[in-house]
Amino acid sequence: MPDEIIDLRSDTVTKPTASMRAAMAAAEVGDDTLGEDPTVIRLERMLADVFGFTAGLFLPSGVMGNQLGLRLLVPPGQELLADASSHFLLYEDGGVAWHGGILTRTAVSENGLLDPAILARMIRPTTPYGTGTRAVAVENTHNAGGGVVYPLEALQEIRRVTREAGVAVHCDGARLWNAHVVSGVPFDAYGACFDTLSLCISKGLGAPAGTVLLLDADRLEEARVMRHRMGGSMRQTGILAAAAIHAFENHVERMAEDHANAKTIAGVLNDSGLDVGTPETNIVFVQVPDAGKVQAACMAAGVRVSAMTPTTVRLVTHLDVSAQQCERAAFTVANAVSEAGTQA
């Protein structure tokens, strides 16, 4: 086993920094199930204010953030529209159907970004014997799209189309922080486009766990009941909320380094003959002959990558990898792809 492991499987693999651990150790705590944890309350209010919402709810995971947000907007047996490669469809175990009885209808979109004009034609009203569209889900940045950023103008047009139709909008904002850093779009401008917004703290921000679901205050009590029903109510959660606050206050703008490192990886791979384009944020997808073989060869050389499909490998940069490590990882992937192609 190599002395050094470079882990680019996801931006969820980070470890808390020393200063984050200190903030966690010093956190004032209470019973959050009873709504009495002061640090959780501070986190929820802080993010709600920044994004222009009236309430927030701290949750254990991004999956729960999406599932709960969508269930608040779509009753059982009603319809949700989304891109076909949305995270909640591909990687959340069919939760909207299993938990919520929600029907989904999808569009195959370029890089996962819904076309507002196509969306407008997909929306259908509820009839006595028909299923009506109740909400639209978007994802920013879009994981399966390679970390692409939704243009604000497109989100605003989706908001206009849905508002005219009486349809709500949920955003899977697990990596909305990355979108903000790249685009410069203010947080409240993003927030104005959505009825519910799920913000993951354990991806690019580097906290150990947690998601905040932003919503209207009149939905908060229902959301708290749903959280408890789904097993998501916790007790002295201020320890985790303190990590989230520290991450938000210290780790947002530094994501520009992750984006630069992703471009470094892409540059090496493009120069080696692998056409990966230029990533917008911190995700690089590589088309390979055999993802399993490439993944195994990289691991043997001390580089961890994700095999997303039989022919696709993903690399994700984050705060625990340096520019030098990313460059080394890129050369390792290029060599592994070359060897896999020779063996095919």
Side-chain angles (χ1 to χ4, degrees):
M1 179 67 67
D3 293 334
E4 180 186 49
I5 299 295
I6 303 170
D7 197 340
L8 295 171
R9 290 173 296 172
S10 178
D11 43 8
T12 61
V13 301
T14 58
K15 306 295 193 299
T17 62
S19 55
M20 183 181 289
R21 289 178 184 270
M24 296 170 72
E28 184 181 2
V29 299
D31 190 323
D32 184 45
T33 298
L34 301 178
E36 297 175 355
D37 191 300
T39 308
V40 172
I41 292 170
R42 179 187 166 202
L43 171 66
E44 292 169 342
R45 288 177 176 170
M46 178 179 70
L47 291 184
D49 288 346
V50 166
F51 280 89
F53 281 78
T54 53
L57 185 64
F58 190 54
L59 303 168
S61 70
V63 170
M64 187 175 287
N66 282 335
Q67 299 298 318
L68 205 159
L70 292 169
R71 287 180 64 185
L72 287 171
L73 302 180
V74 187
Q78 296 299 299
E79 182 179 77
L80 171 68
L81 302 182
D83 167 69
S85 59
S86 298
H87 188 280
F88 81 90
L89 289 171
L90 297 184
Y91 304 116
E92 297 183 13
D93 299 304
V96 293
W98 182 265
H99 297 298
I102 296 171
L103 299 177
T104 55
R105 191 154 50 97
T106 63
V108 176
S109 311
E110 184 175 358
N111 294 325
L113 308 184
L114 289 167
D115 183 327
I118 294 174
L119 185 65
R121 295 194 294 270
M122 292 179 66
I123 293 173
R124 53 190 178 191
T126 302
T127 64
Y129 303 104
T131 297
T133 304
R134 299 297 292 270
V136 170
V138 298
E139 185 179 333
N140 193 19
T141 67
H142 201 288
N143 177 20
V148 297
V149 177
Y150 249 109
L152 179 62
E153 296 76 12
L155 293 172
Q156 290 172 332
E157 181 62 11
I158 289 172
R159 172 77 285 185
R160 184 193 67 79
V161 166
T162 53
R163 183 179 288 116
E164 290 181 356
V167 171
V169 181
H170 171 73
C171 178
D172 176 352
R175 295 186 175 93
L176 192 62
W177 323 105
N178 299 86
H180 161 75
V181 169
V182 166
S183 67
V185 171
F187 288 132
D188 59 352
Y190 278 132
C193 298
F194 315 123
D195 295 277
T196 55
L197 169 59
S198 178
L199 297 167
C200 187
I201 312 296
S202 65
K203 290 191 170 69
L205 286 187
T211 284
V212 175
L213 178 68
L214 301 182
L215 66 167
D216 292 335
D218 60 3
R219 289 190 170 108
L220 181 59
E221 187 55 36
E222 181 184 3
R224 292 184 69 87
V225 171
M226 280 191 180
R227 181 182 70 171
H228 190 265
R229 186 177 292 134
M230 296 173 75
S233 290
M234 299 181 287
R235 300 299 181 179
Q236 287 69 37
T237 323
I239 294 171
L240 292 175
I245 291 169
H246 179 85
F248 178 69
E249 292 179 340
N250 294 277
H251 292 173
V252 174
E253 298 307 322
R254 64 140 304 280
M255 286 183 180
E257 300 172 22
D258 301 338
H259 302 161
N261 288 341
K263 287 181 172 60
T264 294
I265 291 172
V268 170
L269 295 175
N270 285 326
D271 289 344
S272 72
L274 296 167
D275 184 10
V276 300
T278 302
E280 289 188 60
T281 55
N282 66 325
I283 298 175
V284 181
F285 278 107
V286 191
Q287 298 304 311
V288 300
D290 186 320
K293 287 183 178 179
V294 170
Q295 183 184 44
C298 288
M299 183 60 191
V303 175
R304 292 179 176 175
V305 299
S306 293
M308 303 299 288
T309 75
T311 57
T312 306
V313 165
R314 187 186 74 169
L315 298 84
V316 185
T317 57
H318 51 79
L319 61 86
D320 279 3
V321 290
S322 67
Q324 293 75 19
Q325 288 174 318
C326 288
E327 185 175 33
R328 182 195 140 190
F331 281 112
T332 299
V333 171
N335 290 335
V337 173
S338 177
E339 292 175 4
T342 302
Q343 296 168 2

